[in-house]
Amino acid sequence: SDLQKQEERGELLQPLIFVLLVLCSILLYFKVSLMDPGFVKPEEEEGEDKGQGVVTPLIPGDIKLRRCGYCLVKQPMRAKHCQVCQHCVRRYDHHCPWLENCVGERNHPLFIVYLSVQLVVLLWGGHVAWSGLYFEPSREWLQHNILLLVSFLLIFIFTIVVLLLLVSHLYLISCNTTTWEFMSHHRISYLRHSELENPFDQGIILNLWRFFC
């Protein structure tokens, strides 16, 4: 049959991979949006100091961990209270309105994977949309291809947005800083009073290793 011939030529493999990538992107979206980003819990306060050994020597000794004025928990270093989630989040990066969840210590690596898969899907979809366009200077052509043209423009816009997000996050990860720390450096006490511009930076390779591994 025609279906068997297409399968033998490998013509069904690419659509199958594309569908699997879309499903993977959807699953990652729900995983990142529904998981705990690293909420600070009151019962964990006793062990906070133990987890700060890596960064404490680089921070001035007169800076003490403070209690959150909203949820009253003792904030670990690099944590921040999210007004939307109403929780303090460990290694807070930002609150993503698209995910309706914070990006923090626990889900930040998966967030990067989600952006990467999403970028591949958008690039592939853009290639498919572009390959279906053939340009003719006529009104009839525009009427028959308007949906395909609009789809390509939307895919192009989303691709640029996702690409910029992914590149910016990878840059910040390579420096071992967060979006919040990068944007609010002058307002964060442990950065403002530190002798180093970024006391957490341990080199690109080690920063990436600690983040992803």
Side-chain angles (χ1 to χ4, degrees):
S1 63
D2 292 339
L3 190 62
Q4 290 178 333
K5 291 179 180 179
Q6 289 179 339
E7 184 178 1
E8 290 174 358
R9 293 195 299 265
E11 295 178 0
L12 298 180
L13 182 61
Q14 289 187 359
L16 179 61
I17 294 175
F18 181 78
V19 171
L20 290 176
L21 282 173
V22 172
L23 292 176
C24 181
S25 174
I26 295 173
L27 291 175
L28 283 169
Y29 171 84
F30 284 107
K31 176 66 175 177
V32 176
S33 62
L34 295 176
M35 73 181 295
D36 179 357
F39 294 135
V40 181
K41 301 175 183 178
E43 60 269 20
E44 298 175 354
E45 288 188 16
E46 296 180 358
E48 291 301 336
D49 294 335
K50 297 179 181 179
Q52 301 301 327
V54 176
V55 297
T56 301
L58 303 175
I59 305 299
D62 58 341
I63 296 179
K64 299 180 180 180
L65 302 183
R66 67 183 183 88
R67 286 196 177 273
C68 174
Y70 297 96
C71 51
L72 302 179
V73 298
K74 190 175 181 181
Q75 283 186 337
M77 192 72 72
R78 313 186 79 178
K80 182 182 181 297
H81 184 86
C82 176
Q83 297 283 5
V84 180
C85 296
Q86 292 299 309
H87 284 285
C88 286
V89 181
R90 296 174 181 273
R91 202 181 181 278
Y92 176 87
D93 188 86
H94 70 286
H95 181 89
C96 181
W98 174 248
L99 296 171
E100 293 187 0
N101 193 14
C102 282
V103 175
E105 185 179 72
R106 295 189 62 188
N107 64 350
H108 200 173
L110 273 181
F111 178 71
I112 299 301
V113 175
Y114 165 70
L115 288 179
S116 302
V117 174
Q118 191 67 49
L119 181 61
V120 173
V121 171
L122 287 169
L123 289 173
W124 197 333
H127 171 72
V128 172
W130 180 260
S131 63
L133 288 172
Y134 59 95
F135 295 97
E136 292 182 2
S138 65
R139 186 174 180 179
E140 292 182 357
W141 175 88
L142 185 61
Q143 291 177 345
H144 285 89
N145 294 273
I146 185 66
L147 290 179
L148 191 59
L149 189 61
V150 171
S151 298
F152 175 77
L153 291 176
L154 288 175
I155 290 174
F156 177 77
I157 293 172
F158 285 128
T159 300
I160 296 299
V161 172
V162 173
L163 179 62
L164 290 176
L165 273 174
L166 181 59
V167 170
S168 63
H169 274 277
L170 288 175
Y171 169 74
L172 294 176
I173 291 167
S174 68
C175 299
N176 197 2
T177 189
T178 64
T179 302
W180 172 57
E181 291 172 342
F182 181 78
M183 300 294 293
S184 305
H185 188 280
H186 61 287
R187 295 194 291 113
I188 302 174
S189 59
Y190 59 81
L191 294 179
R192 187 173 68 248
H193 297 119
S194 174
E195 296 179 359
L196 303 175
E197 183 177 354
N198 180 10
F200 305 107
D201 188 5
Q202 297 178 305
I204 294 177
I205 296 178
L206 190 56
N207 290 338
L208 294 173
W209 174 265
R210 287 185 178 277
F211 182 84
F212 288 107
C213 305

